[in-house]
Amino acid sequence: GNCSDQASARLPSAISQAKLDMRNRFLLLLCTCVASLAAARAFHGPSPSCCDQRQLHGLRLARPALSHTLQSSLHSAQIIPRGGASTSLSMADPSVVFNNFPLIQSTAIFALANLLGCVLSLLGKTQIHVDLLGTGSFCLAALPALLGKGAALSRVKISAAAVTLWSVKLAGYLLLRIVKLGEDKRLSDLFRSTSGTVSFWVFSLMWGILCSLPHSLGSTSSSAGLPAATIAGSILYVVGLVVETTADYQKWMFKADNPGKFCNVGLWSVSQHPNWFGNLLIWAGVLIMNAPALVDASAVVAAGENASFFDIVWRYRRLAVACLSPAFMFYLFNGQAEGSLTTTVELAKGKYGSPEYEKYLSSVPKIFPKLF
């Protein structure tokens, strides 16, 4: 009877907390997508429906020899934005070239790194290599763009530097943690079987490819992007990096002084997983800084006034694919926080099970801090 009464008393607050968590998650994803689209819109200008009809007619006449004449015709063409001011069509930069080699190269690096990790996990019992190859592969995939010869775009360099810094920082921290702990029980249980080991590294490969899409796709574009988007994305990235690093440091220090207890201080008092929240901000920042360069205006310009709705939507295909990164990361983190993807929640309850811990779980948001 007492248990039933307590459960009934906690039910309204649990429902309220679930609604608040869902609202905060939706707002973060919505703000990320809107910011990316806004940056792309600001860079590429209005749709061709606003173009001067005579100029569009001239572009249509040039279509048979588009490969030769598009470059020269774009310099003189004009777009009339909604505000009425005339700007060059080069603002839409339809001459931007997309080279998929950096994306293929990045995918190959992730594949080789995770294949090596899988082989080492099958042959040995150590877990030291797991985070070095899993998280460290992001650094390996970004290095070609960061250290490549030639006049690489500053946007790509900044994006590559951001990914490299995050990868080295996180891989180093996780390596230090596994050296101190000796093993991760979650991985120990998973690596007992061949199928479990292979499935882990396949998922690690998927994580690497999908998570890095904002940078790897951004590296395929010859566009310089939009300075405002690069700055805004960099600021969000720095905020996320600070949040993630601070959360990891606070938990490390708390565990050193309070072994066997769950961390509920600092950022951990407003979020059960503030490090994951910081990670979401990091990749949202990388997405925003690359968003304007991911819009392909060539198809719309080539079609002129006959551009269809599909042509207009198709120009955003790369940006849409890049948005899979924060969407996938949210799915991954939320699944782990709720216990639907891993045994993290079950293990934590078994380790910290107490009325105080149950109160913490019911009152503190899983990922997104309760700011209001």
Side-chain angles (χ1 to χ4, degrees):
N2 292 334
C3 294
S4 177
D5 292 340
Q6 293 175 1
S8 300
R10 289 196 300 264
L11 183 58
S13 61
I15 294 176
S16 177
Q17 184 62 53
K19 290 181 178 179
L20 180 61
D21 286 349
M22 186 58 66
R23 185 193 67 180
N24 290 338
R25 296 165 190 165
F26 174 77
L27 286 177
L28 178 65
L29 291 176
L30 179 62
C31 289
T32 300
C33 293
V34 169
S36 300
L37 289 173
R41 179 69 175 176
F43 181 68
H44 292 278
S47 64
S49 61
C50 300
C51 292
D52 184 273
Q53 298 300 318
R54 291 171 298 177
Q55 293 157 2
L56 287 175
H57 178 67
L59 286 175
R60 290 201 306 277
L61 293 178
R63 286 170 63 186
L66 184 61
S67 60
H68 175 71
T69 61
L70 182 58
Q71 297 287 344
S72 59
S73 64
L74 291 173
H75 291 295
S76 59
Q78 298 290 318
I79 283 182
I80 303 177
R82 293 176 181 176
S86 175
T87 59
S88 171
L89 185 58
S90 62
M91 285 297 293
D93 212 359
S95 59
V96 168
V97 176
F98 287 96
N99 177 12
N100 289 327
F101 175 75
L103 177 62
I104 297 173
Q105 183 182 54
S106 174
T107 302
I109 292 174
F110 278 115
L112 290 175
N114 283 277
L115 176 61
L116 176 60
C118 184
V119 171
L120 291 177
S121 295
L122 290 172
L123 295 178
K125 296 182 179 180
T126 179
Q127 297 179 3
I128 293 180
H129 66 283
V130 173
D131 291 305
L132 279 178
L133 292 174
T135 307
S137 59
F138 284 84
C139 172
L140 297 177
L143 281 180
L146 182 63
L147 304 178
K149 297 180 180 180
L153 296 170
S154 59
R155 171 188 57 80
V156 176
K157 291 283 190 181
I158 293 173
S159 179
V163 174
T164 301
L165 175 61
W166 166 79
S167 174
V168 172
K169 186 271 301 183
L170 185 58
Y173 165 72
L174 295 176
L175 174 63
L176 182 63
R177 188 180 69 174
I178 198 65
V179 169
K180 179 180 179 181
L181 297 178
E183 67 171 355
D184 187 329
K185 291 184 177 181
R186 297 168 297 180
L187 295 180
S188 299
D189 294 338
L190 194 62
F191 287 173
R192 284 173 182 165
S193 65
T194 301
S195 60
T197 302
V198 173
S199 64
F200 170 84
W201 286 104
V202 168
F203 192 84
S204 175
L205 173 61
M206 183 188 305
W207 167 58
I209 294 174
L210 290 178
C211 182
S212 64
L213 280 174
H215 168 70
S216 57
L217 280 175
S219 300
T220 66
S221 173
S222 65
S223 171
L226 184 66
T230 303
I231 294 173
S234 299
I235 293 175
L236 186 60
Y237 165 85
V238 170
V239 171
L241 190 68
V242 170
V243 169
E244 182 185 65
T245 304
T246 301
D248 288 337
Y249 175 77
Q250 288 177 340
K251 188 172 184 178
W252 178 275
M253 297 304 296
F254 180 87
K255 290 291 186 179
D257 297 332
N258 303 275
K261 295 184 179 181
F262 68 95
C263 183
N264 59 351
V265 299
L267 294 177
W268 298 86
S269 65
V270 295
S271 170
Q272 295 180 33
H273 303 283
N275 52 336
W276 293 351
F277 174 66
N279 191 278
L280 288 174
L281 294 182
I282 287 173
W283 286 103
V286 176
L287 172 62
I288 291 174
M289 70 174 68
N290 287 291
L294 294 176
V295 181
D296 183 4
S298 60
V300 177
V301 172
E305 65 180 0
N306 295 323
S308 65
F309 175 76
F310 176 78
D311 290 329
I312 297 174
V313 172
W314 185 245
R315 70 190 297 201
Y316 294 101
R317 64 191 182 279
R318 292 174 183 268
L319 179 57
V321 174
C323 287
L324 291 176
S325 173
F328 172 76
M329 295 305 294
F330 169 73
Y331 167 77
L332 176 63
F333 291 149
N334 188 62
Q336 292 184 82
E338 293 184 345
S340 58
L341 290 180
T342 64
T343 59
T344 303
V345 176
E346 181 181 349
L347 291 174
K349 286 183 177 180
K351 183 177 182 180
Y352 305 120
S354 66
E356 183 182 3
Y357 185 65
E358 292 294 335
K359 181 180 179 181
Y360 174 79
L361 294 179
S362 62
S363 60
V364 178
K366 291 181 175 62
I367 298 176
F368 299 93
K370 184 178 180 181
L371 302 178
F372 304 101

